Amino acid sequence: MTTQNKDAAKEVKKDDMRTGKSTGGAEGKTQQIHELRIATIGNVDSGKSTLIGVLTGGELDDGRGRARSKIFNLRHEAETGRTSSISQHLVGINAEGKLVHSNTHKGGGVHLTTAQKYKSWREVMEVSKSVITFVDLCGHEKYLKTTICGLTGTFPDYACLVVGANMGVTKMTKEHLGIVLALKIPFYVILTKVDICPPNVLKRTKDKLVKILKSRFAKKMPFEVRDEKDVATCLKNQSSKLTPIFSLSAVTGKGVKRLESYLSGLAPRQTWDSEAKNVEFSIEETFNVTGVGVVVSGSVTKGRLIANSKMLLGPFSDGGFRPVLAKTLQRKRVPMSVCNAGESCAVAIRYLKSKESLKRSDVRRGMVLVDPTSEPKATVSFEADILVLHHPTTIKENYQSVIHCHNVRQTAKMVKINGVRSMKKKKTG
């Protein structure tokens, strides 16, 4: 990015977060645009980022990584071609049910600058009746914890299990499948790279995938989508058991239109309480914007978050909560005055007392902004029902594990274990 583009990006973010207005001078919006969240999972090199790049950019891939280069966050991701962080990407749906692409720009090479992304996302929000947020997650085993954080912290409505047709069902494919089944997240399957996959290998991959989905462990009903009638059937019979399987190529475009038709007809699965009096905002990331201060991003999980409202931030290391002011809001890079439950946004915050200075290091992932009337209390212990899917060692008292709960990732110790019961069925006859 050139120095000029960096300065432009800083000015866009600084002016918007400070005033709550867009660069064109329009006031912050309040209308509610329904959002569907889809987390993409699957083995490394299966084509997850490329698929998102095609869906959000509206252009097919050239077979050399052009589509995925538009959505990578970090420089080493672009160099290696592998995702190592959690990133979100937007596509809108207009009144005619057509996709409105965001990762598009005229000229200037492949990569979008920050200023161009701001402009394109705003244009999408202006003409769309609803939006789809794709959460690009990691496929490499090295970044499995990051993938789990994305599945628990971004509150996806659905998961998209991407399987490379030429690679088949791998160890990490099964690992990711087990996680979404444990979290009870409905999912659909996409077989990518069918243009370079031999017919016998494609058939073997499909057969193995169908066998796993029908197994006693998954208990799903796989349904291969071959035409628009099959798409209508899937949308009409949406259930937690029916699992659509799409075959497509991001290079030739085979099957892409059927997938777009399916996505445009999907409805959000989760229900949120926007009328709750006690507001709750779950913090996912923190930023420090010059001229604005500390900015946190995340999701409103309860109630309605209003700009310039007084909130409590915590819990801090001492278990307490401190009063802050939620100054301005941005949703999908568009200034808003209200953010409803189930919507993600960025919030500029500061301490209520002007003499106190809030630092980015004071805020961490997993903290929350809550309504002062809720009188929140932090806890260091809790009871839980645990289902062990597979584990190589014995789990007993004082065993330490990592807890993933929404945006919280914390080591915990099992102090006491009660009522151990085996889930295996006894053999008879």
Side-chain angles (χ1 to χ4, degrees):
M1 187 187 299
T2 63
T3 304
Q4 183 178 2
N5 286 332
K6 285 183 178 180
D7 294 339
K10 289 180 180 179
E11 288 302 319
V12 167
K13 182 178 287 188
K14 180 165 58 175
D15 291 342
D16 292 346
M17 296 305 296
R18 183 193 298 140
T19 65
K21 298 180 181 181
S22 66
T23 53
E27 295 293 335
K29 298 181 180 180
T30 60
Q31 74 267 25
Q32 185 173 3
I33 300 177
H34 296 288
E35 178 181 0
L36 177 73
R37 301 182 190 180
I38 299 176
T40 56
I41 56 175
N43 188 49
V44 62
D45 297 331
S46 59
K48 300 183 297 296
S49 299
T50 298
L51 176 64
I52 294 177
V54 170
L55 293 174
T56 59
E59 297 177 350
L60 296 177
D61 187 40
D62 61 355
R64 299 181 180 179
R66 177 183 173 86
R68 71 186 182 190
S69 64
K70 296 181 180 180
I71 65 173
F72 282 140
N73 268 342
L74 308 173
R75 180 178 297 176
H76 74 264
E77 291 181 340
E79 293 173 350
T80 61
R82 294 180 176 179
T83 303
S84 62
S85 61
I86 302 172
S87 59
Q88 298 188 16
H89 308 277
L90 183 73
V91 63
I93 302 175
N94 59 23
E96 290 76 30
K98 302 296 182 180
L99 298 189
V100 183
H101 307 289
S102 60
N103 284 339
T104 58
H105 69 287
K106 298 179 180 179
V110 176
H111 302 281
L112 273 72
T113 64
T114 304
Q116 287 171 331
K117 287 182 179 180
Y118 264 81
K119 183 180 178 181
S120 62
W121 280 42
R122 284 170 171 165
E123 291 173 350
V124 170
M125 294 291 285
E126 287 177 359
V127 301
S128 302
K129 67 172 185 178
S130 61
V131 294
I132 301 176
T133 300
F134 290 103
V135 184
D136 190 20
L137 299 178
C138 317
H140 199 282
E141 185 176 5
K142 178 181 179 181
Y143 306 112
L144 181 59
K145 289 182 179 179
T146 303
T147 299
I148 297 176
C149 283
L151 288 171
T152 58
T154 58
F155 309 101
D157 293 287
Y158 299 92
C160 170
L161 179 62
V162 181
V163 180
N166 58 335
M167 301 168 62
V169 180
T170 63
K171 174 188 174 182
M172 288 310 297
T173 304
K174 297 177 183 178
E175 190 79 28
H176 289 182
L177 176 59
I179 294 172
V180 295
L181 288 172
L183 295 175
K184 297 181 180 180
I185 302 175
F187 64 95
Y188 59 92
V189 181
I190 295 181
L191 293 174
T192 58
K193 305 181 183 180
V194 296
D195 56 316
I196 61 173
C197 182
N200 62 316
V201 177
L202 177 60
K203 184 179 184 303
R204 184 167 66 244
T205 300
K206 287 183 179 180
D207 292 343
K208 187 174 182 180
L209 184 61
V210 169
K211 183 179 179 180
I212 292 175
L213 293 176
K214 286 184 176 180
S215 66
R216 181 171 61 88
F217 169 69
K219 297 180 181 179
K220 297 294 181 179
M221 295 172 54
F223 182 81
E224 187 173 358
V225 180
R226 295 185 175 91
D227 51 37
E228 290 295 331
K229 289 184 179 179
D230 291 340
V231 172
T233 301
C234 292
L235 293 175
K236 185 178 180 180
N237 301 281
Q238 291 186 41
S239 67
S240 59
K241 284 193 173 182
L242 184 66
T243 305
I245 300 177
F246 297 86
S247 299
L248 58 81
S249 168
V251 176
T252 65
K254 179 182 178 181
V256 173
K257 291 297 181 183
R258 290 195 292 271
L259 177 60
E260 291 181 346
S261 298
Y262 176 73
L263 293 174
S264 62
L266 274 181
R269 173 181 61 92
Q270 303 179 84
T271 55
W272 302 89
D273 187 6
S274 297
E275 303 302 323
K277 294 182 179 179
N278 295 331
V279 184
E280 186 174 316
F281 178 83
S282 179
I283 296 176
E284 182 179 347
E285 291 185 87
T286 63
F287 308 92
N288 193 22
V289 181
T290 305
V292 178
V294 177
V295 176
V296 296
S297 68
S299 302
V300 181
T301 56
K302 187 188 297 184
R304 306 177 71 203
L305 181 60
I306 303 174
N308 291 315
S309 57
K310 296 179 181 179
M311 305 289 289
L312 291 179
L313 172 66
F316 288 86
S317 56
D318 59 357
F321 290 76
R322 301 174 188 174
V324 296
L325 178 68
K327 298 186 291 182
T328 55
L329 313 177
Q330 272 194 17
R331 183 185 175 209
K332 307 302 179 187
R333 297 172 175 159
V334 177
M336 296 282 180
S337 58
V338 177
C339 192
N340 299 282
E343 298 176 351
S344 56
C345 65
V347 189
I349 60 175
R350 66 168 177 82
Y351 281 131
L352 280 180
K353 296 181 180 179
S354 57
K355 293 183 179 180
E356 298 183 54
S357 177
L358 179 64
K359 300 178 181 179
R360 182 186 176 187
S361 58
D362 297 335
V363 188
R364 66 183 186 276
R365 178 189 177 96
M367 280 184 162
V368 292
L369 290 172
V370 294
D371 194 283
T373 59
S374 62
E375 299 180 356
K377 294 182 180 179
T379 181
V380 294
S381 63
F382 60 92
E383 295 182 356
D385 293 326
I386 299 175
L387 173 62
V388 181
L389 301 176
H390 171 73
H391 202 271
T393 60
T394 302
I395 298 177
K396 55 185 180 181
E397 291 184 357
N398 293 322
Y399 175 82
Q400 292 187 355
S401 62
V402 178
I403 302 296
H404 293 268
C405 181
H406 291 183
N407 285 316
V408 176
R409 184 172 71 181
Q410 179 65 48
T411 304
K413 181 172 69 173
M414 297 183 184
V415 179
K416 191 173 183 181
I417 301 177
N418 295 321
V420 179
R421 182 167 60 92
S422 175
M423 298 294 290
K424 294 183 178 179
K425 292 184 178 180
K426 295 181 179 180
K427 294 182 179 180
T428 58

